[in-house]
Amino acid sequence: MPLLNPSPVTEWFSRKFAEPTPAQVEAWPRIEAGKNVLIISPTGTGKTFAAFLSVLNQLAIEEADGALKPGIHAIYISPLRALSYDLEKNLAEPLREIYGGTSPIRVGLRSGDTSSYARQQQFLSPPHILLTTPESLSILLSQTRWLPALSTVRWIIVDEVHSLAENKRGSHLTVSLERLELLAACGVQRIGLSATVAPVDQVAKFLVGAARNCEILDVSAAKKIDMRVYSPLSRNPYPPSGYTGERLIKELARLVGENRTTLIFSNTRSGAEAATYWLHSALPELSGQIECHHASLDRDVRQDVEDRLKRGELRAVVCSTSLELGIDIGSVDLVVMLSTPKGVSKALQRTGRAGHNIKSISRGLLMATNMNDLVECAATVLLARSRQLDEIRIPQAPLDVLAQHLASMGCIRAWKKTEALELVRRTYPYRNLSEADFEAVLEYLAGGGKSLKQQYTETFGKINLEEDSFETRQGRVQRDLLQNIGVIPNEGMVAVKLKGRTIGSVEEIFVRGLQIGDVFIIAGRPVRLERTGMMECFVARAYNAVPTVPRWNANKMPLTNKVAEAIVTFRSELRERFEKFGSECEQQVDWIGKRLDCGRTNADIICRMYAAQAEVSEIPTADFLLVEELLDQPEETTRELQATAVPEERKRKTKKAPQFPRGQRHYFFHSLVGRAANEALSRAIALRLSRLRGGNAIATPDDYGFVLTVRPEQVFTEKELPELLKAEGFAEDLHTALSRSDLLKYHFRNAAQTGMMVYRNFFGEQKSVRKLQWSSEVIFNVLQQYEPDHVLLREARRDAVHTYIDLENALNFLEKLKGKSIRLKRIERVPPLSFALFATKIKEALLVEDPREMTERLYHLWWSKLE
Amino acid sequence: MMDKSRSEIIPGVWLDYRRAVFLEKESTLCIADLHLGYAWAHRFHGQMMPVHALDRLTERMLELCGFYQPRTFAVLGDIVHKAVPVAEVEREFTEVVTRLGEKCGLKLILGNHDKGLKKLDCSRQVEFCDSWEAGRFLLLHGNESRKSKGDSIVVMGHEHPTISLGDGVKSGRFPCFLISEEVIILPAFSDWAAGSNVRWYDFMSPLAKSARFEKAVAILGQKLLPVSLQKP
């Protein structure tokens, strides 16, 4: 093989494989030349060996020359332990075949699960190749005794870079990598493995640091993708929503029957559970080969599913995002996505899981579950075909992660402030970190600022902060710190135990709502609650019972802007055609079918939907803002809402269709800017309304707009809309609305844990999660009042906005609105485009009322009920 | 018109929105779960809790003292959050003991968080007890397992009861008193205490578990609101 210097490894490869894959051909010479490389390609393109063969080769050559030094030479980091397990097996194979039983080149795996015996062995005899997670790497870097073994590192390989880049775990990793570079005796080479992602140059910088070079190898075109849309909708423009629509399940069952292995993605864990359950019912003869997989299931349960999938023993797996990443799952014939994956990149990544070798075509099917879904899926597929990817957003300078790193850096020695700041600034996320922010974090770690130091004899910080240097306090502080390294927050979950074995966990709130004897679904099968403990509940298998599905508080993935833009354009075009040629569907179906490339049946449904919209209201376009005003909840809509309820829920008397108290009015704002921007708009506008009229307004956003639900006395007119929608002062109003929100409290809780204000294990006591737990809400209130600029509060705001709220696009939208008209239209029934919003169960009431007023109002409300 | 900030829940027993119970005949004012030095106890162990004065604890206690002028002021346990040898914690404790002691007799009942409190410097010459009988009432913290003695009504803390109340739009959590024929549970006096929702009936202490609570009295701002509890 001319690409690499000959060694036992190259010999082995030539024997095993006919030829290298395109990814390997591109990667090896560059890696040999010592360059940093980012390899972008889907599963099954030989990424692992593209990265590793070069490394193995070099080690084998040195070993043969007797020049292989002790210590760690290569570190592989992945966000999932399962990936490391897979890799360990994949590396063991060549080593065993080349060297026999005891290979002189050692591979070691280190994660939270590694036994203390194994850890000790690793310390005494460090593996040449270490496979690990971001957290474990950080822990090693913070212990003095590990530094010598780490100083020999020459290669860093980071897997699933695209998934790490867009969250704080990735930011955390970049600082660890800089700390590693500083330790390394000679230069460190970085190799990144990523799925399809954009923008590539930012992701490359994320991998190698703000100022270093990186070669980008994009071989994703090498694998062919065939993506289509399926809609089980009937002719009715108000179809049942949710995955239990009978036709959808029938079709899904048919697909599972026709393919050897089908991988089915749901956007939520609840959806995955529900779909698994329904598939079991639809295909009882295959139910032993249909499994569920998501993050709240126990690791052993997941491992079992992954192993069986790999061995080809399963016909279908229904998962949430858990199988998106590149764990080896054997060969999958078809990927089905239930409902839009909310992003072009995601759709491509998921489809890429199908077809396990480079020659096969990856088949992906998007199944639309309602009207809006259908149009979205069609738009997504069109964009995917032309490779117009949505862009990930890399967090900028998360301060809680910084606090954790500075404190753990201080464990090994004292640092000059300038040295630490320079190190951190070499990473991409922290490249623009201001000195003021850096100082603020150090002050926080030291106990909280000069004013505090003056008041109290001892502030008990985590670090000793001098004029120009810092070091972490010895003893318990360091020990506790090392046990709490990481970014993944501790949520209020209760373990579910079946026959003594933990199968997964569910949210505490869910368990609290259950009674003994209630049946719910976990791992796709119904179980009955037998008793509850402090942090666990005990269940038994339940057959022939009507179950509920737990609703995990999973991330809501907002629609990406590209897809939203595509849909706005489509709507404007369709409206024009309706106005020119009439809304008779016979004439429009052809055009729609071609425009969206979605087939006649789908085009017909879409046409009817938009025709109904035009009849009941009008089609919103980019030229104006449509606001629909609906008084109360008409009878028809109630019936339609009941039809959207899960069929089994209808049988249970306790579950009701969503209802709103009478006399309310609903305003549908058709701002098609994606959920994240609508989160911003709805919160600020609800606040403005409450200022104008008093009281609360419930604001429910989704990708297509938001609904403001108000009481009769809060009704407003078309004249007042511009005031509500003005761009001036918007950011401030959003800030105020956010400061009273649950969202911010949730993110603060995470920031408080990551930033080490509180430990996950409170005083080592785990008696009761609820009772002895520090109250993050209380801390939050204290800080809001006395230290509103506290670094962790600022981080919570940054995080909440970064992840869920798109201030920028909301402002853009409002700016553009200045030149357009805003129309308030009275409607008698809920039109199709607003229906999805209306039917969504309101889980988060976005409360913007002053909390003191709320207390007063509650008091009067309840007291008047008594008298 | 009834003054809704205080309520005579049973003859001779007054609930006060300031999270206190006044036993009229016995001239005894009760509060529970002070958790003095909460933030400092955390800091001592490396958790960077904010140390701003959230609770004006001493002022609140003195206000109650001034209003009721009780013969005895009883603190029903968890006086400190953790008995750590930290100057600020000892200072807070001393302040409470000194300033209250000037106005009325103090009864400091020890709770499960008070382990080691007796050994701190600040506790020299301070008297503690495990429980106290005041007429027909038995005052204790509530963590230990014991049966109530005869006809005594137990007055305790420990559970930090709160109750969720909503208007159909959103609910909030409010500290509350729990009332039964044999047991009265006070809400935590300290704002730091994370409470548990009484609607879940998940009590820690055997005394609370065996009681049948029909009513909770929630504290909404400066008013009291009785709420009936229906067991599921």
Side-chain angles (χ1 to χ4, degrees):
Chain A
M1 224 168 11
L3 299 162
L4 295 168
N5 294 322
S7 82
V9 171
T10 54
E11 277 172 55
W12 172 85
F13 189 88
S14 316
R15 270 185 280 128
K16 269 282 192 177
F17 301 97
E19 52 178 14
T21 65
Q24 290 158 358
V25 168
E26 296 290 323
W28 287 337
R30 291 175 169 88
I31 297 176
E32 289 288 291
K35 298 202 194 284
N36 295 325
V37 174
L38 175 64
I39 305 171
I40 301 176
S41 69
T43 322
T45 52
K47 262 193 293 200
T48 310
F49 281 135
F52 269 101
L53 214 74
S54 208
V55 171
L56 278 179
N57 203 44
Q58 187 59 28
L59 293 176
I61 292 171
E62 284 168 20
E63 198 281 327
D65 290 341
L68 184 62
K69 291 202 205 98
I72 304 174
H73 293 263
I75 300 185
Y76 164 89
I77 300 140
S78 80
L80 275 188
R81 279 171 247 188
L83 288 169
S84 303
Y85 288 130
D86 275 354
L87 185 60
E88 196 186 20
K89 290 194 202 127
N90 291 338
L91 290 177
E93 192 191 327
L95 290 175
R96 191 178 50 245
E97 292 180 12
I98 297 168
Y99 296 106
T102 347
S103 163
I105 300 172
R106 289 188 305 282
V107 177
L109 203 150
R110 193 178 185 102
S111 73
D113 294 334
T114 311
S115 70
S116 19
Y117 174 74
R119 285 168 205 251
Q120 189 58 5
Q121 291 304 111
Q122 283 170 359
F123 174 68
L124 294 171
S125 176
H128 301 102
I129 300 177
L130 181 67
L131 314 178
T132 187
T133 60
E135 290 71 33
S136 295
L137 175 62
S138 180
I139 294 171
L140 291 180
L141 284 166
S142 311
Q143 297 174 63
T144 327
R145 62 183 199 147
W146 270 97
L147 304 186
L150 293 170
S151 66
T152 45
V153 173
R154 289 179 276 165
W155 298 279
I156 296 173
I157 300 163
V158 182
D159 206 348
E160 309 290 350
V161 176
H162 64 284
S163 95
L164 284 168
E166 61 177 355
N167 63 43
K168 291 207 282 197
R169 240 178 137 202
S171 317
H172 189 271
L173 177 63
T174 59
V175 182
S176 293
L177 295 184
E178 290 303 328
R179 288 169 66 180
L180 191 56
E181 286 241 18
L182 202 61
L183 284 175
C186 42
V188 172
Q189 191 177 359
R190 301 194 197 191
I191 303 164
L193 305 174
S194 171
T196 323
V197 72
V200 285
D201 34 284
Q202 273 188 41
V203 174
K205 286 219 176 323
F206 163 82
L207 173 68
V208 302
R212 297 189 189 92
N213 291 322
C214 180
E215 302 237 352
I216 302 171
L217 304 177
D218 190 342
V219 288
S220 36
K223 202 162 182 220
K224 300 242 182 307
I225 299 236
D226 174 6
M227 219 190 270
R228 296 182 199 188
V229 179
Y230 171 83
S231 160
L233 302 170
S234 59
R235 308 192 133 236
N236 183 352
Y238 294 88
S241 65
Y243 313 128
T244 57
E246 282 179 35
R247 287 190 61 182
L248 186 144
I249 291 296
K250 252 202 222 151
E251 176 66 14
L252 197 53
R254 188 186 69 78
L255 289 167
V256 170
E258 273 182 11
N259 288 279
R260 255 176 326 155
T261 312
T262 309
L263 184 60
I264 301 160
F265 281 95
S266 159
N267 287 335
T268 63
R269 295 174 212 177
S270 332
E273 289 282 2
T276 311
Y277 176 75
W278 292 115
L279 270 180
H280 285 159
S281 310
L283 294 169
E285 69 279 12
L286 291 182
S287 80
Q289 296 171 285
I290 297 172
E291 296 292 344
C292 191
H293 188 287
H294 60 68
S296 288
L297 291 176
D298 194 65
R299 203 175 53 79
D300 288 338
V301 172
R302 280 181 278 144
Q303 185 80 51
D304 189 53
V305 173
E306 289 157 25
D307 289 341
R308 289 172 67 201
L309 191 53
K310 225 181 300 192
R311 293 197 292 264
E313 291 170 13
L314 293 177
R315 296 295 295 273
V317 172
V318 189
C319 65
S320 66
T321 55
S322 51
L323 288 178
E324 252 171 25
L325 299 187
I327 315 170
D328 186 3
I329 50 175
S331 66
V332 167
D333 293 332
L334 173 68
V335 164
V336 176
M337 287 164 265
L338 297 174
S339 178
T340 151
K342 299 290 182 191
V344 181
S345 301
K346 277 240 183 297
L348 284 169
Q349 282 159 22
R350 290 178 177 182
T351 305
R353 302 293 270 137
H356 195 63
N357 62 59
I358 187 94
K359 301 260 181 354
S360 47
I361 299 176
S362 296
R363 292 162 53 219
L365 186 68
L366 277 70
M367 286 186 119
T369 57
N370 64 55
M371 285 300 165
N372 283 326
D373 218 11
L374 178 57
V375 179
E376 238 181 85
C377 288
T380 305
V381 170
L382 284 178
L383 289 169
R385 287 198 193 133
S386 56
R387 297 246 148 210
Q388 293 187 56
L389 304 175
D390 30 82
E391 302 198 334
I392 62 168
R393 286 160 61 179
I394 301 178
Q396 297 301 311
L399 297 179
D400 53 350
V401 168
L402 180 62
Q404 194 183 113
H405 262 294
L406 291 176
S408 56
M409 278 158 69
C411 287
I412 53 170
R413 62 171 169 96
W415 288 75
K416 284 231 169 324
K417 282 192 202 174
T418 44
E419 192 189 1
L421 180 56
E422 273 166 26
L423 181 148
V424 158
R425 274 180 175 165
R426 286 197 280 272
T427 69
Y428 184 72
Y430 294 97
R431 67 197 185 287
N432 293 324
L433 179 70
S434 71
E435 216 172 304
D437 282 349
F438 179 74
E439 288 286 343
V441 173
L442 283 177
E443 287 283 351
Y444 152 69
L445 287 171
K450 294 196 184 66
S451 62
L452 246 84
K453 283 215 183 77
Q454 286 161 2
Q455 282 179 54
Y456 303 111
T457 43
E458 178 132 37
T459 52
F460 295 108
K462 283 196 210 292
I463 62 172
N464 296 321
L465 182 61
E466 306 293 328
E467 187 63 43
D468 58 355
S469 68
F470 67 92
E471 192 172 3
T472 305
R473 278 170 64 198
Q474 300 285 339
R476 184 167 177 163
V477 173
Q478 285 198 17
R479 282 200 308 275
D480 285 343
L481 206 153
L482 290 180
Q483 281 181 22
N484 281 279
I485 284 194
V487 174
I488 302 165
N490 188 16
E491 301 163 41
M493 304 290 270
V494 170
V496 179
K497 284 188 164 353
L498 175 69
K499 293 198 184 117
R501 191 183 156 220
T502 307
I503 39 175
S505 54
V506 288
E507 287 200 343
E508 212 187 321
I509 292 180
F510 173 72
V511 177
R512 290 295 154 200
L514 294 177
Q515 302 183 35
I516 303 294
D518 272 350
V519 176
F520 65 98
I521 300 181
I522 187 137
R525 290 176 175 80
V527 293
R528 172 176 291 107
L529 182 64
E530 301 207 306
R531 64 189 166 90
T532 56
M534 276 292 186
M535 301 221 307
E536 63 235 328
C537 64
F538 300 88
V539 301
R541 286 254 172 255
Y543 306 99
N544 306 320
V546 177
T548 51
V549 180
R551 296 205 176 270
W552 284 274
N553 199 16
N555 294 341
K556 299 174 183 88
M557 292 142 52
L559 184 70
T560 61
N561 297 322
K562 285 228 156 51
V563 181
E565 279 166 27
I567 296 174
V568 173
T569 313
F570 170 71
R571 282 185 184 179
S572 304
E573 289 173 21
L574 184 59
R575 182 181 172 131
E576 234 182 83
R577 287 191 67 94
F578 274 2
E579 280 165 9
K580 259 205 215 144
F581 306 117
S583 52
E584 279 303 306
C585 282
E586 286 307 309
Q587 304 188 324
Q588 307 293 13
V589 166
D590 275 339
W591 178 82
I592 295 175
K594 284 208 192 78
R595 174 71 173 75
L596 294 180
D597 193 10
C598 60
R600 270 197 88 81
T601 323
N602 288 339
D604 187 47
I605 299 165
I606 292 173
C607 188
R608 284 167 191 275
M609 168 170 90
Y610 278 94
Q613 174 74 24
E615 189 191 311
V616 174
S617 166
E618 52 180 303
I619 299 177
T621 70
D623 304 321
F624 71 104
L625 174 63
L626 173 68
V627 181
E628 291 158 339
E629 183 181 13
L630 174 72
L631 169 64
D632 211 323
Q633 184 175 327
E635 291 306 312
E636 283 175 65
T637 317
T638 311
R639 269 185 273 121
E640 279 147 14
L641 278 174
Q642 281 172 342
T644 70
V646 173
E648 291 311 319
E649 282 180 359
R650 259 180 273 154
K651 290 187 203 162
R652 280 165 71 96
K653 298 209 176 71
T654 46
K655 284 268 187 272
K656 294 190 289 216
Q659 294 271 349
F660 299 101
R662 301 212 77 83
Q664 292 188 332
R665 207 161 287 195
H666 311 279
Y667 293 92
F668 299 90
F669 288 70
H670 287 272
S671 46
L672 197 70
V673 283
R675 192 196 163 104
N678 281 325
E679 283 272 3
L681 287 173
S682 58
R683 285 168 194 267
I685 290 170
L687 178 76
R688 288 172 170 181
L689 182 62
S690 95
R691 276 203 202 120
L692 215 61
R693 292 276 190 274
N696 259 324
I698 308 174
T700 314
D702 77 358
D703 289 311
Y704 300 93
F706 58 97
V707 186
L708 264 189
T709 303
V710 306
R711 302 155 92 83
E713 56 276 11
Q714 294 169 305
V715 152
F716 56 87
T717 64
E718 192 175 275
K719 277 201 306 253
E720 288 161 310
L721 277 174
E723 180 63 29
L724 289 176
L725 292 162
K726 64 176 199 273
E728 289 76 35
F730 182 78
E732 288 78 21
D733 289 338
L734 176 62
H735 183 91
T736 308
L738 212 56
S739 69
R740 296 177 188 168
S741 72
D742 279 346
L743 185 68
L744 190 60
K745 287 177 195 166
Y746 174 76
H747 282 276
F748 174 75
R749 192 160 190 275
N750 296 349
Q753 289 184 37
T754 303
M756 314 212 112
M757 175 172 263
V758 283
Y759 294 140
R760 291 170 184 83
N761 297 320
F762 178 72
F763 276 156
E765 291 162 4
Q766 279 283 18
K767 274 193 232 160
S768 166
V769 175
R770 286 171 285 106
K771 290 196 175 118
L772 296 182
Q773 215 170 34
W774 41 273
S775 169
S776 59
E777 183 151 358
V778 174
I779 305 174
F780 176 77
N781 290 333
V782 173
L783 289 180
Q784 283 249 34
Q785 195 178 348
Y786 292 96
E787 278 187 83
D789 281 332
H790 193 279
V791 289
L792 295 180
L793 263 187
R794 284 169 48 202
E795 170 54 26
R797 279 181 217 122
R798 186 210 64 79
D799 201 10
V801 171
H802 173 92
T803 315
Y804 293 109
I805 295 180
D806 191 351
L807 173 58
E808 202 184 309
N809 274 312
L811 265 174
N812 278 346
F813 173 79
L814 292 178
E815 289 289 343
K816 288 198 195 130
L817 208 52
K818 282 180 184 164
K820 301 181 191 167
S821 67
I822 304 170
R823 292 215 275 276
L824 182 64
K825 191 175 183 101
R826 274 266 166 86
I827 48 177
E828 303 297 310
R829 34 191 311 235
V830 183
L833 292 184
S834 310
F835 193 73
L837 261 178
F838 201 65
T840 307
K841 284 198 177 142
I842 294 174
K843 277 181 211 150
E844 296 170 42
L846 303 181
L847 200 74
V848 292
E849 197 179 18
D850 188 315
R852 283 165 305 194
E853 281 174 38
M854 178 194 162
T855 309
E856 194 59 39
R857 220 162 45 72
L858 263 181
Y859 174 81
H860 284 291
L861 184 74
W862 277 76
W863 197 259
S864 63
K865 279 191 193 163
L866 290 174
E867 283 172 352
Chain B
M1 191 62 166
M2 185 157 91
D3 171 7
K4 300 203 170 113
S5 61
R6 303 171 56 241
S7 169
E8 192 173 13
I9 201 75
I10 53 183
V13 178
W14 288 84
L15 303 184
D16 191 300
Y17 76 95
R18 290 166 284 198
R19 310 195 201 182
V21 168
F22 183 60
L23 307 173
E24 195 166 14
K25 194 153 147 243
E26 295 76 8
S27 188
T28 298
L29 184 70
C30 310
I31 63 171
D33 298 292
L34 275 188
H35 290 270
L36 289 174
Y38 183 92
W40 288 107
H42 280 269
R43 284 208 165 211
F44 183 70
H45 291 294
Q47 299 189 79
M48 309 304 301
M49 289 284 194
V51 290
H52 302 278
L54 170 71
D55 272 337
R56 305 148 26 247
L57 280 173
T58 322
E59 276 78 28
R60 287 166 60 199
M61 291 163 81
L62 286 173
E63 191 187 315
L64 282 165
C65 239
F67 186 88
Y68 288 101
Q69 304 206 333
R71 220 170 27 236
T72 314
F73 194 118
V75 180
L76 310 183
D78 284 356
I79 304 162
V80 292
H81 187 65
K82 196 153 181 176
V84 288
V86 170
E88 297 307 324
V89 175
E90 302 207 43
R91 197 195 52 73
E92 267 186 59
F93 178 77
T94 306
E95 184 185 329
V96 165
V97 167
T98 316
R99 292 178 70 185
L100 275 183
E102 282 165 9
K103 301 275 163 92
C104 42
L106 267 186
K107 272 281 174 248
L108 299 176
I109 298 170
L110 293 170
N112 48 305
H113 277 257
D114 296 317
K115 256 195 287 279
L117 177 57
K118 283 201 254 196
K119 299 207 191 87
L120 291 183
D121 282 344
C122 55
S123 300
R124 282 201 215 121
Q125 294 168 1
V126 175
E127 273 180 35
F128 300 94
C129 55
D130 288 321
S131 66
W132 189 55
E133 279 181 49
R136 59 192 167 117
F137 301 97
L138 179 60
L139 277 50
L140 38 77
H141 179 60
N143 56 309
E144 60 293 88
S145 58
R146 62 188 289 157
K147 300 191 179 106
S148 23
K149 186 170 110 175
D151 289 327
S152 289
I153 299 177
V154 168
V155 183
M156 61 182 259
H158 186 54
E159 301 284 346
H160 304 188
T162 63
I163 190 166
S164 56
L165 293 171
D167 63 355
V169 169
K170 177 139 177 154
S171 63
R173 283 229 289 182
F174 304 91
C176 66
F177 299 87
L178 277 176
I179 315 291
S180 82
E181 279 180 12
E182 297 146 352
V183 180
I184 297 172
I185 308 187
L186 275 74
F189 197 73
S190 164
D191 275 334
W192 281 111
S196 60
N197 193 346
V198 302
R199 293 198 198 272
W200 294 340
Y201 286 95
D202 200 0
F203 298 116
M204 293 191 288
S205 88
L207 273 170
K209 282 200 233 244
S210 57
R212 315 194 114 271
F213 292 108
E214 274 138 24
K215 193 155 43 175
V217 178
I219 303 173
L220 266 66
Q222 297 193 338
K223 303 205 183 81
L224 295 177
L225 183 74
V227 180
S228 72
L229 298 172
Q230 281 154 354
K231 216 158 169 113

